[in-house]
Amino acid sequence: MSRKAHERINHKERAIEKRDKMLKHDISSERATVEEVFDNATFMVIYSLLKKGILGELNGVVNAGKESRVYWGKDLKGKDLAVKVYLTSSAEFKKGMLKYIHGDYRFKRVKHDTKSLIFTWAKKEFRNLEQAYNVNIRVPKPIAVKNNVLVMEFIGKEGIRAPSLKNFYPKNPDKIYKMILNYVKTLYQKADLIHGDLSEYNIMIWNKTPVIFDMSQAVPSTHPLADELLKRDIENINKFFKRLNVKVYPIKKACKMVVNKNN
Ligand SMILES: Nc1ncnc2c1ncn2[C@@H]1O[C@H](COP(=O)(O)OP(=O)(O)OP(=O)(O)O)[C@@H](O)[C@H]1O
Ligand SMILES: [Mg+2]
């Protein structure tokens, strides 16, 4: 074997050793901080994502909700990631999830035990983000989903999440309102989806652009609740922007604009 080939192999081995060391380091330091919140199964999912190189590291919590926790991570190149972990959940939440899963043709044969439901819920959010992303709606780019863990683009910088619309007074509310309505329309017409939980809480503003997220409950337009959810989404958006003195479209008109192909 040539000297150069030897050097190449040595170099590669050193890189692998370094990565294994990093992995061990991350895992042991993570253990201390996340042990209480991660059950063993979740821990193993995180471990496999680290091992596969999808995740480079996992840092602190960005948001701890009742049913999910969002962590700040990085990929192997050091780019920020958001890691959403769906936690095992209450009977109430289970009922809530079923409402949006039943009638969604993409998830026909779903087991009803809590674990399977949560995995479906995570997969559903991933699929919804993917469908939205593919038609150029500004959502966090979905990267991977495994069991109850979803990895996506981090909206924000250095672990500081972008402000949600709720806490951000846009300078140009008219423009932002129209951009959001346009997202709703594109989502409906090109991705065949209705967000279903759209409000100032599930929109962030980043680089002067609204970013829509939290999409696990989004349903296709054929879902039995589709019309009701679309109306509610637009009502929520209208209510928020009305308070900012935006001249909003009446609900009926806005719904028509979203649904009709030619306006
Ligand atoms: N991709 C992301 N980048 C940065 N921050 C994010 C991202 N996704 C979610 N977050 C942050 O985590 C919070 C919770 O996320 P999300 O709304 O998806 O989860 P949830 O289970 O619905 O929680 P909640 O009940 O608080 O709405 C968001 O308000 C947002 O601040
Ligand atoms: Mg939310």
Side-chain angles (χ1 to χ4, degrees), residues 197 201-202 213-214:
D197 191 21
Y201 294 92
N202 285 332
F213 66 100
D214 194 0

Side-chain angles (χ1 to χ4, degrees), residues 46 49 54-63 69-75 79-86 125-126 129 139-145 148-157 159-162 204 213-214:
I46 300 284
L49 291 169
I54 293 170
L55 261 180
E57 58 183 81
L58 188 69
N59 303 314
V61 177
V62 175
N63 185 75
R69 283 205 174 86
V70 177
Y71 292 83
W72 170 41
K74 279 181 189 272
D75 69 10
K79 203 168 156 220
D80 284 350
L81 294 172
V83 182
K84 186 167 175 178
V85 177
Y86 303 77
E125 172 141 42
F126 187 84
L129 287 172
V139 294
K141 181 183 179 187
I143 291 166
V145 65
N148 60 328
V149 180
L150 187 155
V151 182
M152 61 187 143
E153 174 192 355
F154 187 88
I155 308 297
K157 209 176 161 191
I160 317 259
R161 62 186 170 172
M204 288 186 252
F213 66 100
D214 194 0

Side-chain angles (χ1 to χ4, degrees), residues 170-209:
K171 275 197 203 125
N172 45 356
D174 288 280
K175 192 173 163 203
I176 301 285
Y177 172 68
K178 292 212 170 95
M179 283 172 95
I180 293 171
L181 268 194
N182 253 327
Y183 285 170
V184 176
K185 179 176 178 159
T186 310
L187 193 65
Y188 188 91
Q189 297 203 0
K190 295 197 176 154
D192 188 39
L193 284 178
I194 292 141
H195 185 286
D197 191 21
L198 199 62
S199 75
E200 61 273 29
Y201 294 92
N202 285 332
I203 298 171
M204 288 186 252
I205 302 286
W206 188 236
N207 296 331
K208 298 182 182 153
T209 306

Side-chain angles (χ1 to χ4, degrees), residues 28-263:
S28 54
S29 59
E30 276 316 315
R31 263 238 184 256
T33 51
V34 298
E35 206 159 36
E36 305 127 64
V37 283
F38 286 172
D39 55 20
N40 241 0
T42 304
F43 192 79
M44 290 319 290
V45 175
I46 300 284
Y47 181 77
S48 83
L49 291 169
L50 282 161
K51 212 155 180 208
K52 269 195 203 147
I54 293 170
L55 261 180
E57 58 183 81
L58 188 69
N59 303 314
V61 177
V62 175
N63 185 75
K66 273 196 309 287
E67 315 293 349
S68 83
R69 283 205 174 86
V70 177
Y71 292 83
W72 170 41
K74 279 181 189 272
D75 69 10
L76 284 176
K77 288 183 185 152
K79 203 168 156 220
D80 284 350
L81 294 172
V83 182
K84 186 167 175 178
V85 177
Y86 303 77
L87 307 165
T88 39
S89 135
S90 60
E92 199 52 38
F93 189 61
K94 222 171 131 173
K95 237 171 65 195
M97 285 192 282
L98 276 172
K99 203 171 108 181
Y100 298 94
I101 292 171
H102 284 159
D104 185 328
Y105 66 87
R106 300 168 302 170
F107 300 93
K108 271 189 180 143
R109 269 175 290 276
V110 173
K111 288 198 201 146
H112 283 191
D113 61 288
T114 308
K115 202 166 91 178
S116 308
L117 271 181
I118 288 190
F119 292 2
T120 303
W121 200 239
K123 216 182 280 167
K124 188 151 135 71
E125 172 141 42
F126 187 84
R127 282 284 297 276
N128 290 334
L129 287 172
E130 210 172 35
Q131 282 176 232
Y133 186 80
N134 287 342
V135 295
N136 295 320
I137 293 167
R138 188 66 180 100
V139 294
K141 181 183 179 187
I143 291 166
V145 65
K146 189 167 184 198
N147 296 355
N148 60 328
V149 180
L150 187 155
V151 182
M152 61 187 143
E153 174 192 355
F154 187 88
I155 308 297
K157 209 176 161 191
E158 295 291 328
I160 317 259
R161 62 186 170 172
S164 65
L165 185 57
K166 167 90 181 96
N167 303 314
F168 186 88
Y169 188 91
K171 275 197 203 125
N172 45 356
D174 288 280
K175 192 173 163 203
I176 301 285
Y177 172 68
K178 292 212 170 95
M179 283 172 95
I180 293 171
L181 268 194
N182 253 327
Y183 285 170
V184 176
K185 179 176 178 159
T186 310
L187 193 65
Y188 188 91
Q189 297 203 0
K190 295 197 176 154
D192 188 39
L193 284 178
I194 292 141
H195 185 286
D197 191 21
L198 199 62
S199 75
E200 61 273 29
Y201 294 92
N202 285 332
I203 298 171
M204 288 186 252
I205 302 286
W206 188 236
N207 296 331
K208 298 182 182 153
T209 306
V211 184
I212 293 185
F213 66 100
D214 194 0
M215 290 196 71
S216 24
Q217 69 295 313
V219 294
S221 63
T222 49
H223 190 278
L225 297 173
D227 293 347
E228 188 187 313
L229 293 175
L230 178 63
K231 189 166 166 250
R232 191 176 70 186
D233 280 357
I234 295 177
E235 271 168 0
N236 288 342
I237 296 305
N238 270 5
K239 212 162 117 196
F240 178 78
F241 282 96
K242 232 178 173 170
R243 270 190 265 130
L244 303 186
N245 291 326
V246 173
K247 205 165 162 272
V248 301
Y249 295 105
I251 299 291
K252 263 196 178 163
K253 182 165 183 203
C255 285
K256 262 194 190 153
M257 280 165 61
V258 166
V259 172
N260 286 353
K261 286 265 182 232
N262 46 359
N263 54 66

